[in-house]
């Protein structure tokens, strides 16, 4: 019986993917990241202790698990080493449990500088990136000028390519952005310092996964960001620079789709977004503030305040279709506990005319859509830490049923998260038995 599963975000990221990956990892052998970089911030809470991971897959707390960074992940080796050190200070040994694909593009200092300089130049039109150099590093992959982890095997050639890239970026930084140049020698020295530590973790990921599948090992593919931040399917240009929808799994790991049995879509009980871009259900009132405070909606990577709003079922439905989602995991239900009534967006209007989202999705006009809401009664009881569906208030169950009905009745909410801690989770039936995977 194969249990291979993709766990990905259905909104604008920060849905609680890390918590759920950590929760399910107990039953798995491998956890694979396939896109994004250290722009991600995945929070795990175990016995009240919080750990935020940016690059290392969220299965790392389970000693039996091998964590893999697939070729689609952009790696800043300095930040990866920092994260390894952070875990080691917490007593979490990686030993041979972290594998890096030789094909991962590297994020170097000039990517960060260009990312920051561009955002500054865009001013009020900025994307609101995490400033980690993600976009420029992916650009370098597409231009085929970037450096990959396998370039570390030949430092002579590495130094030559680095020099060429530093010159190119410094020209832009100095002449176009009127910003400071980066220092070639500094970059080379830092890379040399960490090279061995990185190279000892490098492996051929597609072959490793092939072996895992043949040996009936179970694999989680851990998404970063969320479907609406996908470079091709999201709210462009206010997106990240990788494919956070399902296709990223295959291009970013080398796994074949025949090995994937299940796609779990993680959805927050309301919506949040960090950075700029359209957000139809955004709340700029006391309820928005309440969601922000109660949900502790402060970005785990940049510490920025997350924008908050009601759950948008129009967008959720689109994510379900885009990713061929098998079932949903609803997180942060407890954050809605005190609200007397809860709205969910079920359609959009433009100039007071209902939009047929299935025929024409108003991506180019998302700033101007008027959300159509239905109002559901709140439950005004604590659901914090509930681990059994029966113990949820009736209105909370109705909220969940409404989401399922809207999504067509065949996509069910199979996992509910009622708090940040690993144990604050409801799993309906046996997820894997029921779905026969
Ligand atoms: P990710 O990027 O999708 O992994 O999500 P983040 O870790 O960036 O953000 C989710 C935040 O919500 C973290 O602070 C989690 O500890 C927290 N969290 C996750 N699930 C729940 C939940 O069910 N209830 C509450 N109150 N917090 C949760
Ligand atoms: P996790 O995995 C939420 C957002 C940034 C910005 C846009 C582009 O924790 O869900 P980038 O630095 O990627 O070029 O920024 O994408 N963003 C995220 N928002 N969660 C994330 O990751 C994000 N990663 C990037 O805020 O709007
Ligand atoms: Mg996050």
């Amino acid at each position: 019986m194969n249990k291979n599963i993709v766990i990905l975000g259905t909104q604008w990221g920060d849905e609680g993917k890390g918590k759920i990956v950590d929760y399910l990892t107990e039953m798995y052998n491998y956890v694979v990241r396939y896109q994004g970089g250290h722009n991600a911030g995945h929070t795990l809470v175990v016995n009240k202790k919080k750990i935020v991971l940016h690059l290392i897959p969220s299965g790392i707390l389970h000693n039996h698990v091998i964590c893999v960074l697939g070729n689609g992940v952009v790696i800043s080796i300095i930040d990866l080493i920092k994260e390894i050190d952070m875990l080691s200070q917490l007593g979490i040994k990686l030993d041979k449990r972290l594998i890096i694909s030789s094909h991962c593009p590297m994020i170097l200092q000039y990517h960060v500088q260009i990312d920051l300089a561009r955002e500054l130049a865009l001013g009020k039109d900025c994307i609101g990136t995490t400033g980690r150099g993600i976009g420029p590093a992916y650009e370098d992959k597409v231009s085929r000028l970037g450096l990959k982890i396998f370039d570390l095997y030949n430092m002579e050639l590495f130094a030559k390519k680095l020099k060429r890239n530093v010159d190119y970026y410094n020209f832009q930084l100095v002449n176009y952005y009127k910003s400071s140049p980066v220092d070639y020698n500094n970059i080379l020295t830092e890379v040399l310092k960490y090279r061995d530590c990185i190279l000892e973790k490098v492996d051929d990921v597609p072959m490793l996964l092939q072996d895992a599948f043949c040996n009936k090992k179970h694999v989680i593919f851990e998404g970063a960001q969320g479907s609406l931040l996908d470079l091709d399917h999201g709210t462009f240009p206010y997106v990240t620079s990788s494919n956070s929808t399902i296709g990223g799994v295959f291009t970013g790991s080398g796994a074949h789709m025949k090995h994937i049995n299940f796609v779990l879509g993680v959805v927050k009980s309301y919506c949040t977004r960090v950075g700029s871009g359209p957000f139809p259900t955004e709340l700029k009132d006391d309820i928005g503030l309440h969601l922000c405070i109660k949900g502790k909606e402060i970005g785990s990577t940049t510490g920025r305040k997350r924008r908050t709003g009601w759950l948008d079922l129009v967008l959720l439905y689109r994510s379900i279709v885009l990713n061929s989602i098998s079932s949903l995991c609803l997180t942060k239900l407890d954050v809605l506990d005190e609200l007397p009534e809860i709205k969910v967006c079920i359609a959009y209007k433009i100039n007071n005319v209902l939009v047929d989202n299935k025929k024409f999705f108003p991506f180019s006009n998302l700033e101007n859509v008027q959300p159509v809401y239905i109002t559901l009664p709140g439950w005004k009881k604590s659901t914090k830490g509930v681990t059994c569906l029966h113990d949820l208030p009736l209105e909370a169950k109705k909220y969940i049923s409404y989401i399922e009905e809207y999504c067509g009745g065949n996509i069910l909410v199979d996992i509910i998260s009622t708090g940040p801690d690993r144990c604050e989770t409801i799993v309906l039936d046996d997820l894997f038995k029921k779905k026969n995977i």
Side-chain angles (χ1 to χ4, degrees), residues 73-223:
V73 178
V74 279
I75 296 184
S76 153
I77 59 175
I78 297 170
D79 289 278
L80 180 58
I81 299 286
K82 271 191 206 152
E83 206 165 311
I84 293 171
D85 288 349
M86 179 271 291
L87 287 174
S88 125
Q89 273 164 27
L90 293 172
I92 301 154
K93 291 257 178 314
L94 301 192
D95 300 320
K96 297 208 174 318
R97 293 199 300 121
L98 180 67
I99 305 287
I100 303 171
S101 163
S102 52
H103 282 58
C104 291
M106 288 174 66
I107 302 183
L108 294 161
Q109 205 198 332
Y110 44 79
H111 296 126
V112 177
Q113 293 299 106
I114 284 283
D115 190 1
L116 296 172
R118 264 192 205 152
E119 286 285 277
L120 197 65
L122 283 166
K124 65 171 181 31
D125 297 324
C126 70
I127 294 165
T129 70
T130 57
R132 301 293 193 263
I134 303 293
Y138 278 115
E139 287 168 34
D140 265 7
K141 173 178 92 160
V142 178
S143 73
R144 293 154 294 174
L145 292 171
L147 289 151
K148 289 202 167 193
I149 292 291
F150 60 61
D151 284 303
L152 295 173
Y153 286 115
N154 181 346
M155 282 314 287
E156 205 179 308
L157 196 59
F158 184 99
K160 211 169 133 191
K161 289 185 184 176
L162 180 68
K163 181 79 178 67
R164 175 197 65 198
N165 291 0
V166 165
D167 287 349
Y168 172 75
Y169 280 108
N170 276 347
F171 185 83
Q172 276 190 54
L173 283 168
V174 173
N175 296 301
Y176 187 80
Y177 290 111
K178 311 289 176 223
S179 173
S180 345
V182 296
D183 187 85
Y184 165 79
N185 287 318
N186 276 355
I187 300 179
L188 191 59
T189 309
E190 287 220 278
V191 168
L192 278 169
K193 189 162 137 202
Y194 300 124
R195 175 179 173 265
D196 291 350
C197 179
I198 295 294
L199 283 184
E200 69 187 22
K201 297 179 173 45
V202 170
D203 208 339
D204 184 338
V205 171
M207 291 304 159
L208 177 132
L209 290 177
Q210 173 70 9
D211 271 0
F213 297 138
C214 288
N215 292 317
K216 302 266 176 290
K217 301 286 185 199
H218 304 303
V219 183
I220 292 181
F221 292 89
E222 175 181 9

Side-chain angles (χ1 to χ4, degrees), residues 12-18 39-43 52-54 224-225 268 274 298-301 306:
W12 284 288
D14 303 327
E15 296 89 350
K17 300 174 290 294
N39 50 348
H42 295 178
T43 314
V52 182
L53 297 169
H54 300 283
Q225 291 75 57
K268 208 178 266 193
V274 212
I298 304 294
S300 36
T301 296
R306 296 175 184 147

